[in-house]
Amino acid sequence: SGSASLLAASLAFVHGQAHGAELPASANAALWLAGMVAATLLLHLAGAALAVSTQRSQPLRRVAGALLAVAGGTLMLAPIGL
């Protein structure tokens, strides 16, 4: 829907702003941006490959989802020492 697209675009913008704020003053902005775009592309391709490879196995898809959730939670909680 339109409101979901607007929300997704807004969050993507804020996410991009946060990464832009991490740009070191001594870095080449074009190369840094190219690296971020390349990393994003690789992450999306890996996610699509995982989705396709687990398409026929619901249990495997659930295990992969659970592992990704644990990995995401670990990355989220690591900065606060949990």
Side-chain angles (χ1 to χ4, degrees):
S1 75
S3 58
S5 296
L6 181 61
L7 177 62
S10 299
L11 292 173
F13 177 76
V14 171
H15 186 172
Q17 289 294 105
H19 280 297
E22 296 172 338
L23 175 67
S26 61
N28 179 324
L31 288 176
W32 185 85
L33 178 61
M36 289 290 282
V37 169
T40 299
L41 175 64
L42 289 173
L43 285 170
H44 280 84
L45 289 174
L50 182 64
V52 169
S53 68
T54 61
Q55 189 171 12
R56 295 178 191 246
S57 173
Q58 186 68 21
L60 184 57
R61 184 173 274 207
R62 289 183 186 272
V63 168
L67 290 173
L68 287 170
V70 168
T74 301
L75 289 171
M76 182 179 71
L77 296 174
I80 60 172
L82 294 178

